Every structure is written in structure tokens, then in C-alpha cells.
Amino acid sequence: MLDDSTKLNSLGFAKPPSETRVVVAMSGGVDSSVVAAQLAEEGYDVVGVTLQLYDHGAALAKKGACCAGIDIHDARRVAEEMGFPHYVLDYENIFQDAVIDEFADSYLGGATPVPCIRCNERVKFKDLLQTARDLEADCMATGHYIQRKNGPNGPELHSAADANRDQSYFLFSTTPEQLEYLRFPLGHLPSKDATRALAEKYGLAVADKPDSQDICFVPNGDYASVIEKLRPGAAEPGDIVDLEGHVLGRHKGVIHYTIGQRRGLGIGGLSDPLYVVKLDVDAKQVVVGPKEMLATRRVPVREINWLGDEPFESRPEWHLSVKVRSTRPPREAIVRPLSATEAEVELLAPEEGVSPGQACVFYETDGSRICGGGWIWKG
């Protein structure tokens, strides 16, 4: 008969929960609060950590934003209710340098960045994860909707059971070493309703707290106003031109536009609808054209994080499915490595509005596994 201590607990360790320390990254929302409460109820040695990412009284922040004042209060209250320690760490300088500055500079360069990915990559799964190790935690848990499964070659990253909540697009840059240490207790749940039901079960005051819809430091999705605050004078006016260079109108700054945009161009009266097909930062031009000009099959990708079992360059091409925007389903593609960190992706069917600065995430064509991904660039 096996000793109970040899059995794996729910986090995969061969010891009782009470001897397993887990740091929970707590944003103050319902998801991470449920993770912390559930693990505390199961008897784990839980330590809650919340990051203050910016001055919640500053103009950039908005009421209810992730890790702003009310969220820190909510995380602390959950810890008090469930009886585990909670710490707030000041990461303002790290977040400014690693996420906000690049966000602004990317927009000024005509790209459409995804700061949430950089935050996971450079702050939460780097500095915070190291803090968890410093606290002698066995692992770190988050409220992300994604699954970690043990495969024949170690832990694998898989899409969440609920496709509507899946956050794999934002976590493609998780490294194998980080994945070894991370846990995602919500990834198997069938819906957000199931998460809220658990919050009610544990009596958490955040059970009905609404989800944050915007980037945490961008009020109401108004990227341009944030960039103008960060980079005064950045919004220089220029011409809106067609593909032949004919001037159709004026714009108040390239930062106000994104690839694929149709509304708000201020060039009405034309017979056919026009879309933003290119942002020429050097010439201060917004280039517009017909919808078919948005379609592309070739996507250059760099800064690749590969999570496959074989080395990325071990094959001349990989037949995978890829996501080029978080809101789109994976589409079949051929990924051709150019180096260990660069590739050319050929989409089997053209996609519209593929934009530099977005991520291109790789998935198994016949399964839920994430094989990695990289960043789309101009090529």
C-alpha cells in the first residue's frame, strides 16, 4: 500500500497541499480571486500577490482598471476573507519600461501592439515568477483561461475548454521553463458562469464584478489620447491618400488609425467604401484602398517562441493553424522557419487586416495544443 505522501495533489506535487506553497497572481478580478480561494479551501499554503502597475490616481488609469486602486482593495479583501497573506508589489517602473513605452513607440511606428502579451512575458511570467521563487513557492497560479497538460516530453500548453474564454493568444510566449512552474486552475471550466458560481460558493464579494474589457492603462479604448500623453506632439497631421498617391483628405495623426479601419476616415462621398491598407509614418500618410487590398497570404514573423517537441528548424515547414488576431479563429497555414526565431507564414486562405505589431500564434491543426508563435512585422 502506497503512503499518501506519494500521491500527487491537485497541483501535481507528491506531498500534502498544506506543505505545498503556491503564489497566486491576484488582479482583484473574479478569476484570480476564485483561483486563490479554491486553493486556500483545498488546504494549500497560499500567498496572494498583486502588482501595482501604475499610479492609479494618474490620468492614464481608469476606474476599475486591472491592478488600479479598487482592484488592489478587492484582492486584499479576498485574502482576508480566505485567511491567507497578501502582498502588493510596486512594479510601476518595470511596467513603464517593459510595456507602456514599447506600446507607445510601436503605435508611433505604425504598428498595432498587444501590450497584454508583453505584460505576461516581461512582467508577470518573468519578474513576478522570480518573486514567487524567492518566496520559496512550489509553483505560481493565475486566473488565465488556458490549460497546462502533461505530455510525453513535459508540460504542454493547450487552449481552454471554453473557446469563448480562451486566452492562449495572449500566452504564446510562455517558455517551457515557465510552463514547468505555472498552473492554470480555471482552464478546464466549461464557462465563465462556472467561475462565478465558484465565487458565490466561496462567498467572494467580487462574484458579480464585471470583466475588464480594455487594456488596463488605456481609458475606454482610446489609444490615441494615451499616446499623446506619453509622447507629446506625436499626433502630427498629414494626408489621406489612395493607392496612386492622390490626396483624398487630411488626418490628425497616424496614431488615430489602424489597418483595416473603415469608419471615421472623413472622406465620404466616394462611390466605393475605402479601408486603411497602410500607415506610412515617415510620410505622415494614411493610405486607403478597396477591401480586397487588405487580403494577404504572406505573414513575416519574428521573435518566435517555439513550444513543439522537435526543434523549430528540424523541418523545412510545419503544417499548423495560426491566429493573426485574438478575435479570429485559427486558420490553416504553412510555417517555414528562416531561423530559430524567424519564419514566413503562408496562409492557405487569405486573411484581411493582418497588421504589424500583432501576434501570430501557432496551434496544432487537429488538437488544442499551442505550438508557440511570434510577432508580425513589416518584412
Side-chain angles (χ1 to χ4, degrees):
M1 180 173 165
L2 290 175
D3 187 295
D4 281 347
S5 64
T6 65
K7 294 180 180 179
L8 295 180
N9 60 34
S10 64
L11 294 178
F13 298 98
K15 54 184 177 180
S18 60
E19 297 176 15
T20 305
R21 175 169 293 175
V22 51
V23 163
V24 179
M26 299 182 69
S27 68
V30 64
D31 299 324
S32 57
S33 296
V34 165
V35 168
Q38 184 174 37
L39 294 176
E41 188 183 67
E42 291 178 15
Y44 286 95
D45 179 8
V46 173
V47 178
V49 175
T50 300
L51 303 182
Q52 180 170 315
L53 298 178
Y54 48 81
D55 179 358
H56 54 264
L60 291 184
K62 64 184 176 68
K63 184 179 179 182
C66 167
C67 305
I70 187 66
D71 296 306
I72 291 173
H73 170 76
D74 287 343
R76 181 179 290 122
R77 184 163 59 163
V78 168
E80 290 174 353
E81 290 171 354
M82 299 304 297
F84 59 83
H86 174 259
Y87 301 96
V88 178
L89 304 181
D90 182 354
Y91 271 43
E92 285 187 39
N93 291 337
I94 293 172
F95 189 66
Q96 179 77 39
D97 295 342
V99 180
I100 294 180
D101 284 342
E102 184 186 89
F103 170 82
D105 293 338
S106 294
Y107 254 103
L108 291 178
T112 308
V114 192
C116 297
I117 298 176
R118 289 303 196 192
C119 182
N120 290 325
E121 174 188 306
R122 297 176 174 177
V123 180
K124 292 176 182 174
F125 291 177
K126 184 182 177 185
D127 294 280
L128 178 56
L129 192 144
Q130 184 56 52
T131 297
R133 293 186 188 278
D134 293 342
L135 290 170
E136 299 182 342
D138 294 282
C139 63
M140 186 173 90
T142 79
H144 288 107
Y145 287 88
I146 194 167
Q147 297 187 82
R148 174 191 184 276
K149 297 183 179 181
N150 289 318
N153 296 294
E156 300 174 352
L157 207 57
H158 286 256
S159 300
D162 179 6
N164 293 322
R165 304 297 304 181
D166 177 59
Q167 292 176 290
S168 59
Y169 184 85
F170 301 99
L171 297 170
F172 80 86
S173 60
T174 306
T175 67
E177 181 185 24
Q178 291 167 343
L179 190 56
E180 189 77 41
Y181 194 69
L182 289 164
R183 299 294 187 274
F184 308 106
L186 301 184
H188 69 286
L189 294 181
S191 68
K192 183 61 177 267
D193 288 342
T195 305
R196 292 196 183 278
L198 286 172
E200 291 176 4
K201 170 188 171 184
Y202 301 130
L204 303 182
V206 296
D208 296 322
K209 187 174 181 177
D211 293 336
S212 177
Q213 300 297 320
D214 299 319
I215 295 170
C216 65
F217 59 91
V218 180
N220 306 314
D222 188 356
Y223 306 114
S225 66
V226 170
I227 295 164
E228 287 181 285
K229 288 190 179 93
L230 293 167
R231 302 288 186 270
E236 296 185 48
D239 292 327
I240 299 175
V241 301
D242 63 16
L243 296 170
E244 285 74 43
H246 301 128
V247 176
L248 303 179
R250 293 283 288 175
H251 66 76
K252 53 186 178 180
V254 171
I255 61 172
H256 292 275
Y257 302 86
T258 57
I259 301 296
Q261 180 176 333
R262 177 186 173 189
R263 299 180 184 276
L265 299 181
I267 51 173
L270 301 173
S271 57
D272 296 316
L274 294 176
Y275 299 77
V276 176
V277 298
K278 181 183 177 183
L279 298 172
D280 190 331
V281 175
D282 294 333
K284 301 183 181 65
Q285 289 183 335
V286 174
V287 183
V288 296
K291 189 175 184 180
E292 55 264 27
M293 291 300 298
L294 290 170
T296 185
R297 290 181 60 177
R298 177 185 170 272
V299 183
V301 180
R302 61 185 178 183
E303 290 185 64
I304 288 172
N305 178 57
W306 179 246
L307 295 173
D309 294 329
E310 303 171 44
F312 185 52
E313 295 178 279
S314 64
R315 300 185 192 179
E317 59 185 38
W318 296 86
H319 290 257
L320 300 166
S321 292
V322 304
K323 261 191 182 188
V324 294
R325 281 191 184 266
S326 63
T327 54
R328 297 184 185 175
R331 307 290 191 188
E332 287 192 50
I334 299 171
V335 179
R336 297 186 176 93
L338 301 177
S339 71
T341 58
E342 290 187 273
E344 181 172 282
V345 175
E346 179 186 349
L347 302 168
L348 299 193
E351 283 267 359
E352 295 176 354
V354 176
S355 176
Q358 295 284 300
C360 179
V361 180
F362 310 153
Y363 298 81
E364 284 182 333
T365 55
D366 56 353
S368 62
R369 186 177 179 185
I370 294 97
C371 297
W375 295 93
I376 300 169
W377 63 300
K378 294 178 183 179

